Amino acid sequence: METLPHYGRLWIALSGGLDSVVLMQAVHAVALDRPGLGVRAIHVNHQLQPAAGDMEAFCRRLCARLGIALSVQRVRVTESGGGMEGNARRARYQVFTSLMGEGDVLLMAHHRDDQAETALFRMMRGSGGTGPAGMPSRRALGRGTLCRPLMTLSRAQLEAWGEAWGVEWVDDPTNSDTSLDRNFLRHRVLPLMEQRWPTVRENLARLADQTVESDALLGRLGAIQRAAVEDDHGRLSVAALAALSRPEQKNLLRWWMIEQGVAPPPPDQLEQGLADLTTAAGDRQPLLVGDGYAVRRFRGWLYWVADRLQPPGHAVQWQTQRTLPWGDGQLRFEPGPDKDFPVLTVRRRQPGERFRPQPGGPSRSVKKWLQEQAIPPWERAILPFVEEENTLIAIGDLWQLADASERVSRGGWRIIWDRSCR
């Protein structure tokens, strides 16, 4: 416990299996002498198997017996996109990230055998620049830190501890399902390799640790070079990026994506996408598509754009005392001193639409006006156009009708467009 960073709350990821239960018992033993630890547990129920309810019930009983607060989060996982295993992992880490407060620490029970399996799994999958990089013993997670204190121990050691302590745990039935890639490696491939190379698990784990260190250095290089390429809006300069060598470009782009919390695309896709983004003619709109996002180019800059919900294709009435969901964001109305909440209409841009940016001024094409404001094409499609009694009063947070602006300057109402992504 002395090696942990200073923390606000201490969380334990509890599945109910051997590894996490042993970790829970160890932390609980320390907490008995240090009541100020503030230990909590989190159990994620993926609802993917008949035994999921039994495992959740076991975790509830265990935490109740130990006097540890438990948060149970149920998620729904589909096979779309990265497959069931990958999607379950993403859902699990999304839950962890959402629970982490400023300075919180999450303990996970991964061990040396997990590290070896991770290295082999990533080699078989061809995981790009990370290669056989394993799991770091510590990394940032949301507003807190993820720590893996059991990484120097084998599963056999944890089993011996569990039996010596007399602890109970639940074996996940899916762990024996060799149709799942990791289980196939664990039960079929690694035992066969051990017959030929008895120390293969230790060797793989050591290789994974060394690659983690190398990857950290590449991440540091990417951060240093990105400082000269990225602007205050999180965009990358195409010209500055193109001045780097191709390996440096790929490394920088990979770490830029990792910083966004997404997985870089496979190496061949990254290579081709990078070539398109840096060399395509100025009138083209190249993009690099990833899982849940795209990297787009506009006027000499690269933008990371998350896949987003599209706003409705029809006009909607807005009862302004409530927020209005709009795509991945929302519209908020802040009333003036009179606390009046009008009913407004919100819609998307219409083909060939025109408006008067200045009172009494000439009518302008909305399309050309947005181009002059340097609004990327993918942003133009989702802009909310707000009307009051058939009069356009706002275009997102870019423009507001003059008389509405005057009311704002006198402390009147205003419309705020909160966007959850760029």
Side-chain angles (χ1 to χ4, degrees):
M1 300 298 293
E2 286 74 14
T3 63
L4 294 179
H6 179 73
Y7 59 85
R9 295 177 298 180
L10 185 64
W11 293 88
I12 300 174
L14 180 65
S15 68
L18 165 70
D19 311 334
S20 64
V21 171
V22 168
L23 176 61
M24 171 79 82
Q25 293 285 162
V27 173
H28 178 255
V30 174
L32 291 176
D33 296 325
R34 296 169 60 180
L37 284 179
V39 181
R40 298 165 178 258
I42 169 66
H43 174 76
V44 179
N45 185 341
H46 300 91
Q47 305 182 92
L48 293 177
Q49 54 167 309
D54 294 337
M55 298 182 72
E56 176 184 321
F58 171 81
C59 291
R60 290 185 184 276
R61 291 193 302 271
L62 174 63
C63 289
R65 180 170 59 83
L66 297 178
I68 293 177
L70 173 67
S71 173
V72 174
Q73 301 289 323
R74 297 185 181 93
V75 297
R76 294 201 174 276
V77 183
T78 65
E79 289 194 71
S80 61
M84 192 67 77
E85 286 182 89
N87 290 342
R89 181 185 182 279
R90 275 190 288 274
R92 186 164 60 250
Y93 277 85
Q94 286 173 0
V95 168
F96 295 155
T97 302
S98 69
L99 288 177
M100 296 290 280
E102 192 68 37
D104 284 3
V105 169
L106 173 70
L107 301 183
M108 299 191 72
H110 295 113
H111 47 72
R112 292 293 280 175
D113 290 39
D114 292 325
Q115 186 77 305
E117 291 167 9
T118 297
L120 185 58
F121 177 69
R122 289 179 174 174
M123 283 190 285
M124 296 300 98
R125 194 177 55 179
S127 298
T130 58
M135 299 172 287
S137 59
R138 180 183 299 186
R139 71 171 177 86
L141 179 67
R143 293 180 294 166
T145 305
L146 184 157
C147 294
R148 298 181 171 99
L150 306 183
M151 290 288 278
T152 61
L153 304 173
S154 68
R155 178 175 174 83
Q157 288 175 294
L158 297 183
E159 287 179 342
W161 285 6
E163 292 173 0
W165 293 347
V167 301
E168 296 181 357
W169 64 84
V170 179
D171 288 320
D172 184 346
T174 63
N175 284 341
S176 59
D177 181 2
T178 55
S179 68
L180 301 177
D181 291 339
R182 283 184 178 272
N183 292 340
F184 181 77
L185 291 176
R186 179 181 304 157
H187 298 297
R188 298 282 185 85
V189 177
L190 277 168
L192 182 61
M193 296 177 72
E194 282 180 307
Q195 293 178 20
R196 180 78 176 187
W197 301 286
T199 61
V200 64
R201 292 181 190 267
E202 291 78 7
N203 295 341
L204 282 170
R206 189 180 306 112
L207 173 63
D209 291 342
Q210 293 168 349
T211 312
V212 166
E213 294 178 357
S214 299
D215 214 36
L217 291 175
L218 289 174
R220 179 59 180 158
L221 173 63
I224 292 171
Q225 294 182 323
R226 203 174 87 193
V229 174
E230 189 175 32
D231 72 354
D232 293 339
H233 302 288
R235 305 176 302 179
L236 301 184
S237 165
V238 174
L241 184 65
L244 301 175
S245 69
R246 183 48 59 93
E248 290 173 322
Q249 293 174 14
K250 291 189 290 186
N251 182 63
L252 191 155
L253 204 59
R254 278 189 60 252
W255 281 100
W256 186 49
M257 295 173 184
I258 291 171
E259 286 294 318
Q260 309 295 338
V262 299
D268 55 346
Q269 186 180 346
L270 179 64
E271 181 85 38
Q272 183 59 55
L274 185 57
D276 294 340
L277 291 166
T278 55
T279 64
D283 60 347
R284 304 288 298 277
Q285 294 186 18
L287 75 161
L288 170 60
V289 178
D291 185 8
Y293 67 94
V295 177
R296 298 176 179 268
R297 189 184 74 180
F298 179 66
R299 295 189 179 181
W301 294 94
L302 297 186
Y303 295 74
W304 182 85
V305 184
D307 291 351
R308 55 186 57 173
L309 297 173
Q310 291 297 310
H314 55 84
V316 296
Q317 274 200 338
W318 179 19
Q319 305 289 337
T320 52
Q321 65 268 33
R322 296 189 293 270
T323 59
L324 178 70
W326 191 260
D328 282 339
Q330 62 180 10
L331 291 168
R332 288 191 292 117
F333 182 86
E334 292 191 353
D338 59 4
K339 301 298 182 183
D340 182 41
F341 288 91
V343 177
L344 304 177
T345 301
V346 185
R347 59 173 175 79
R348 298 169 76 168
R349 177 165 62 100
Q350 299 171 352
E353 185 168 0
R354 304 180 69 85
F355 78 125
R356 297 183 189 277
Q358 300 295 331
S363 172
R364 297 288 310 279
S365 161
V366 170
K367 178 180 179 179
K368 291 185 177 179
W369 184 82
L370 291 174
Q371 290 173 342
E372 292 172 1
Q373 309 306 309
I375 306 301
W378 57 90
E379 290 283 355
R380 301 172 202 164
I382 63 171
L383 282 169
F385 282 62
V386 184
E387 294 181 341
E388 182 179 29
E389 297 179 352
N390 297 320
T391 297
L392 183 67
I393 63 171
I395 301 177
D397 49 10
L398 302 173
W399 171 86
Q400 196 164 8
L401 190 64
D403 61 351
S405 298
E406 291 172 2
R407 289 196 290 272
V408 169
S409 66
R410 294 197 301 268
W413 58 266
R414 62 174 179 158
I415 295 169
I416 300 173
W417 184 24
D418 292 325
R419 285 168 284 185
S420 59
C421 55
R422 289 196 294 275

